[in-house]
C-alpha cells in the first residue's frame, strides 16, 4: 500500500513528494491534467522557500534557471517617471544567505522538482483524477475517474484553490471574492529589442494599467498583467490576444503588433479564503487547497511550499513509527495561523499598492516588505515550542544559518549544510554539551545528526567524537546567531526551525524534547504498520 498519495503536482505537491521520497517512503503523486502544465503564473520562490529548496538539493538548479528580482520602471502616460529597486540596500548576511527571491517560471520550477523526484524513482501520474475518498481509520481508499481505486495510509490534497479533495472532505472554504478587483494575465511574446529586458515595466494610468516582466530563460517571453478591457456597460471582457494588443498599445504607446503571441490567458480576481481546518482523519490539505489570498507580495506558492515542508517530516515520523500520531495535529496548529497572517498581510499590501499606483511613480515595489521574505515566520505558539533561549531565536523560530569550517578538513561549510537532509540536528556549544550529544546519537541513531561547535580553539585532545561531527565557529557567527553565551544545546527540527535551546547540563530537557520528535529505538520485531494509528479527534 502507498504510504502517502499526493493529489496535485504543482510546487506544493512536488515539494512534499520530494521530502517524503528522500525519507524512503512509498509515495504516489497524481494530477488530473493530461500533461505537465506550461504555466508561468507564480514569479518564483522567496528567500525562505529558497532555503527549503536548498535543503531538498535543488537550489543550485533554481538559481541557474532563474534571475534575480529586477528593478521596477514606472510610467505615466507612456513616459518613464521612476525606477525603483526594492532590494538595492539589501545583501546576504551570515544568518540569512538569501536576501531576495528568484524570478523563475512556475513550469521551470516544477520541472526541476520533478527531475529531483525522479531521482528517487517517483514520477508524476498525469491524467489521474481523484473523485472519491473513503477513510476507514486505518487507511484511505481513493476512487479515480477511470473507475479504479487505490489505497494509501495518508492522502494530501495539494490540488489548488478549486480542490476536489477539499470538496470531498466537506471542509468549508470561507472568505470573499472581490469581483471588482481583477486583472487579465498571460504569457506573451514581444518583438525583441522593443523593451529593455533588464527591468520590470509598469504602466499605471488613470484608465488602467499594464505590467510586463521578462520571463527568465526566454528570449522574447514576458509575464503580462493588466486591468481588463471593459465593454460599453463597464463589464470586463475576457482576455484575448487582440485585447492584450490593445491594452499594450494604449498604455505603452507602442504599436500593438509588437505583442505577437499570448497564451495561458486567465482572469484573476482577488480571493481571500481559508479552510477552517487542514485535516480530516487521514487526509490533509496544503497550499492553495487550504488558503488563497491577494497576489500582493507573491506569497501564494511560497506559503504552499512551506506548508509541505512542515508536513513532510511529521508524516514520515508517524509512518515509520518514530513519533506519536499526535505529532500530525501540529501541522494545522502551526500552519493555519501562518495562513491567517498571510491573508491579512497580503490584503494590507494590496490596499497600500492600490493607493500607491494612483500617484505617478507608485508601483508594485510597495508590496515588498521584510515580511514577504518569509524569514520572520515561526511557530512560537506551537505545542512543540519550549521555553528557553539566550537572547537569540526562540523555540519555533526559523533556525539561522552561519558560516563555519569542518574541523577535520578545514573546508568551509555552513549550518544549513548540517541541517540539510531528513534528520533532526543537534548543535552543541561548549564542552558541557558533549554528554547530551553522545546520549542523543546513542538513543536516536541516524534520526539525529549531532555537531560539536568549537570557537577559535581546536578540539580538546582526546575529546570524545563518536557519532558526531565537529565544526569550527572561528568568527563566532553561529554563537551570535543563536545568542550563545554559555554551554548550550540547540535542537533543530527537520524543517529547520528551532526546537529547543537548553543549557548543556539540562539533559532531561534535551532528552524529553528529542523523544517527543523521535521515539527511542523500538525492537526490530515491531512492525511499522502496527505502530501507525490514524485516529484524529477533529
Amino acid at each position: 500500500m502507498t504510504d502517502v498519495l499526493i493529489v496535485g503536482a504543482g510546487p506544493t505537491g512536488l515539494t512534499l513528494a520530494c521530502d517524503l521520497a528522500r525519507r524512503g517512503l512509498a509515495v504516489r503523486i497524481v494530477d488530473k491534467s493530461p500533461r505537465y502544465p506550461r504555466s508561468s503564473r507564480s514569479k518564483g520562490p522567496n528567500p525562505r522557500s529558497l532555503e527549503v529548496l536548498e535543503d531538498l538539493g535543488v537550489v543550485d538548479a533554481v538559481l541557474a534557471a532563474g534571475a534575480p528580482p529586477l528593478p521596477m520602471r514606472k510610467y505615466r502616460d507612456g513616459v518613464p517617471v521612476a525606477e525603483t529597486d526594492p532590494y538595492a540596500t539589501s545583501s546576504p548576511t551570515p544568518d540569512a544567505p538569501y536576501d531576495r527571491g528568484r524570478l523563475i517560471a512556475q513550469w521551470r520550477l516544477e520541472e526541476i522538482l520533478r527531475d529531483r523526484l525522479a531521482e528517487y524513482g517517483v514520477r508524476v501520474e498525469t491524467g489521474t483524477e481523484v473523485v472519491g475518498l473513503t477513510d476507514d481509520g486505518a487507511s484511505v481508499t481513493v476512487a479515480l475517474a477511470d473507475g479504479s481505486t487505490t489505497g494509501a495510509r495518508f492522502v494530501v490534497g495539494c490540488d489548488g484553490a478549486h480542490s476536489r479533495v477539499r470538496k470531498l472532505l466537506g471542509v468549508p472554504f470561507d472568505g470573499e471574492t472581490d469581483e471588482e478587483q481583477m486583472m487579465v494575465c498571460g504569457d506573451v511574446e514581444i518583438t525583441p529589442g522593443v523593451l529593455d529586458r533588464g527591468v520590470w515595466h509598469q504602466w499605471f494610468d488613470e484608465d488602467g494599467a499594464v505590467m510586463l516582466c521578462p520571463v527568465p530563460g526566454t528570449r522574447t517571453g514576458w509575464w503580462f498583467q493588466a486591468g481588463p478591457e471593459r465593454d460599453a456597460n463597464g463589464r470586463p471582457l475576457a482576455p484575448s490576444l487582440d485585447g492584450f494588443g490593445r491594452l499594450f498599445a494604449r498604455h505603452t504607446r507602442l504599436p500593438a503588433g509588437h505583442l505577437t503571441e499570448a497564451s495561458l490567458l486567465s482572469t484573476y480576481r482577488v480571493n481571500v479564503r481559508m479552510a477552517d481546518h487542514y485535516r480530516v482523519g487521514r487526509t490533509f490539505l496544503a497550499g492553495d487547497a487550504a488558503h488563497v489570498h491577494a497576489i500582493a507580495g507573491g506569497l501564494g506558492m511560497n506559503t504552499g511550499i512551506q506548508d509541505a515542508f512542515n508536513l513532510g517530516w511529521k508524516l514520515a515520523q508517524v509512518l515509520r513509527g518514530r513519533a506519536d500520531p499526535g505529532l500530525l495535529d501540529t501541522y494545522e496548529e502551526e500552519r493555519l495561523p501562518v495562513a491567517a497572517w498571510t491573508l491579512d498581510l497580503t490584503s494590507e499590501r494590496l490596499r497600500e499598492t492600490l493607493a500607491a499606483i494612483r500617484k505617478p511613480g507608485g508601483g508594485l515595489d510597495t508590496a515588498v516588505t521584510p515580511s514577504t521574505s518569509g524569514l520572520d515566520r515561526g511557530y512560537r505558539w506551537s505545542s512543540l515550542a519550549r521555553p528557553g533561549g539566550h537572547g537569540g531565536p526562540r523555540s519555533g523560530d526559523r533556525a539561522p544559518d552561519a558560516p563555519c569550517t569542518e574541523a577535520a578538513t578545514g573546508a568551509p561549510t555552513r549550518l544549513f549544510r548540517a541541517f540539510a537532509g531528513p534528520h533532526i540536528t543537534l548543535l552543541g556549544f561548549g564542552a558541557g554539551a558533549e554528554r547530551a550529544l553522545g546520549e542523543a546519537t546513542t538513543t536516536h541513531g541516524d534520526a539525529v545528526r549531532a555537531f560539536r561547535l568549537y570557537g577559535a580553539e581546536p578540539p580538546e585532545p582526546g575529546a570524545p567524537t563518536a557519532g558526531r561531527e565537529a565544526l569550527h565557529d572561528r568568527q563566532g557567527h553561529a554563537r551570535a546567531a543563536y545568542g550563545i553565551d554559555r554551554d548550550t544545546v540547540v535542537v533543530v527540527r527537520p524543517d529547520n526551525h528551532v526546537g529547543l535551546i537548553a543549557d548543556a547540563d539540562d539533559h532531561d530537557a534535551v532528552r524529553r524534547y528529542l523523544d517527543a520528535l523521535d521515539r527511542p529505538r523500538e525492537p526490530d520485531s515491531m512492525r511499522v504498520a502496527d505502530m501507525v494509528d490514524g485516529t484524529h479527534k477533529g
Side-chain angles (χ1 to χ4, degrees):
M1 178 179 285
T2 299
D3 289 326
V4 182
L5 174 69
I6 300 167
V7 184
T12 300
L14 289 166
T15 297
L16 180 60
C18 288
D19 195 23
L20 294 172
R22 68 175 177 168
R23 298 173 188 276
L25 297 180
V27 181
R28 287 184 67 186
I29 179 168
V30 302
D31 198 288
K32 69 178 182 180
S33 298
R35 62 189 63 83
Y36 299 137
R38 195 69 177 179
S39 173
S40 292
R41 290 179 295 182
S42 171
K43 291 185 175 62
N46 67 8
R48 179 56 182 162
S49 290
L50 288 173
E51 294 179 355
V52 172
L53 296 170
E54 177 174 352
D55 195 285
L56 295 178
V58 299
V59 76
D60 288 343
V62 172
L63 295 177
L70 299 173
M72 300 180 184
R73 184 175 296 165
K74 281 73 70 76
Y75 300 77
R76 200 73 163 191
D77 299 324
V79 178
V81 293
E83 187 162 319
T84 306
D85 181 353
Y87 302 98
T89 61
S90 69
S91 60
T93 59
D95 65 327
Y98 306 107
D99 67 312
R100 62 197 69 193
R102 198 74 174 172
L103 292 175
I104 183 171
Q106 184 170 318
W107 67 263
R108 182 67 183 105
L109 176 61
E110 291 173 358
E111 188 174 70
I112 290 168
L113 288 167
R114 285 197 303 268
D115 288 345
R116 183 61 167 169
L117 187 58
E119 294 176 14
Y120 301 110
V122 181
R123 297 187 181 278
V124 175
E125 300 172 41
T126 55
T128 306
E129 184 177 3
V130 171
V131 296
L133 299 170
T134 304
D135 186 336
D136 65 8
S139 63
V140 183
T141 300
V142 180
L144 303 176
D146 64 4
S148 65
T149 61
T150 188
R153 299 190 189 282
F154 293 100
V155 173
V156 185
C158 305
D159 49 341
H162 302 289
S163 171
R164 173 66 66 85
V165 171
R166 187 187 65 243
K167 293 173 183 176
L168 290 170
L169 296 175
V171 174
F173 202 44
D174 295 330
E176 59 185 20
T177 300
D178 188 337
E179 295 292 347
E180 293 304 311
Q181 291 293 339
M182 65 176 64
M183 292 189 303
V184 289
C185 310
D187 287 9
V188 302
E189 300 285 328
I190 295 176
T191 304
V194 168
L195 292 175
D196 180 358
R197 290 182 63 85
V199 297
W200 185 345
H201 302 269
Q202 302 169 14
W203 292 266
F204 294 109
D205 297 320
E206 294 292 339
D207 61 344
V210 163
M211 293 150 277
L212 282 164
C213 182
V215 179
T218 68
R219 191 171 72 91
T220 58
W222 297 75
W223 283 296
F224 181 99
Q225 298 167 282
E229 288 189 298
R230 296 182 181 269
D231 64 17
N233 296 315
R235 292 187 295 263
L237 299 176
S240 66
L241 172 59
D242 288 344
F244 278 16
R246 288 189 293 270
L247 289 166
F248 174 82
R250 180 193 308 165
H251 294 288
T252 69
R253 279 42 173 195
L254 295 168
H258 284 311
L259 196 154
T260 57
E261 294 183 34
S263 60
L264 303 169
L265 308 184
S266 64
T267 299
Y268 168 81
R269 290 175 173 82
V270 175
N271 278 294
V272 180
R273 298 181 181 275
M274 187 171 72
D276 63 3
H277 50 282
Y278 285 10
R279 180 185 184 189
V280 177
R282 288 179 166 267
T283 302
F284 298 82
L285 300 172
D288 286 356
H291 44 74
V292 293
H293 45 77
I295 197 171
L299 292 176
M301 178 191 74
N302 289 289
T303 307
I305 287 174
Q306 291 150 37
D307 285 347
F309 203 52
N310 181 286
L311 179 60
W313 70 274
K314 297 173 181 178
L315 282 170
Q317 287 296 91
V318 172
L319 280 162
R320 295 167 61 200
R322 301 304 300 268
D324 291 333
L327 180 65
L328 295 175
D329 292 333
T330 67
Y331 167 62
E332 178 179 304
E333 177 189 3
E334 293 182 342
R335 293 303 298 172
L336 192 149
V338 170
W341 170 87
T342 302
L343 265 63
D344 288 343
L345 173 67
T346 53
S347 295
E348 184 267 336
R349 287 293 90 203
L350 177 62
R351 289 191 296 271
E352 291 295 319
T353 301
L354 292 174
I357 64 177
R358 293 189 181 100
K359 301 175 182 178
L364 301 186
D365 50 298
T366 304
V368 179
T369 72
S371 288
T372 58
S373 71
L375 298 178
D376 60 354
R377 291 299 90 200
Y379 313 120
R380 291 185 179 183
W381 60 85
S382 170
S383 58
L384 295 180
R386 299 290 185 271
H390 303 152
R394 289 165 50 188
S395 181
D397 290 352
R398 163 193 169 272
D401 193 13
C404 43
T405 59
E406 296 176 358
T409 65
T413 188
R414 298 158 52 216
L415 290 186
F416 275 4
R417 291 179 187 166
F419 301 162
H423 59 262
I424 302 162
T425 307
L426 261 70
L427 305 177
F429 295 87
E434 284 289 353
R435 176 180 165 184
L437 299 183
E439 287 183 355
T441 54
T442 298
T443 304
H444 297 276
D446 61 5
V448 166
R449 194 173 176 196
F451 294 84
R452 168 70 193 282
L453 273 86
Y454 295 86
E457 78 284 1
E460 301 92 340
T465 58
R468 48 204 178 276
E469 302 170 61
L471 300 175
H472 272 173
D473 179 31
R474 286 191 172 94
Q475 295 176 294
H477 288 305
R479 282 170 171 77
Y482 288 86
I484 303 300
D485 60 2
R486 68 198 78 169
D487 287 4
T488 301
V489 174
V490 178
V491 180
V492 179
R493 300 171 9 167
D495 59 354
N496 301 349
H497 281 261
V498 174
L500 176 73
I501 300 177
D503 289 344
D505 58 1
D506 194 351
H507 305 123
D508 286 343
V510 176
R511 187 182 307 113
R512 286 194 303 270
Y513 193 79
L514 287 175
D515 289 352
L517 299 190
D518 183 75
R519 183 179 293 147
R521 292 182 178 275
E522 300 284 353
D524 291 340
S525 59
M526 184 174 290
R527 296 174 60 247
V528 168
D530 295 334
M531 295 186 281
V532 178
D533 177 4
T535 60
H536 179 243
K537 62 186 178 183

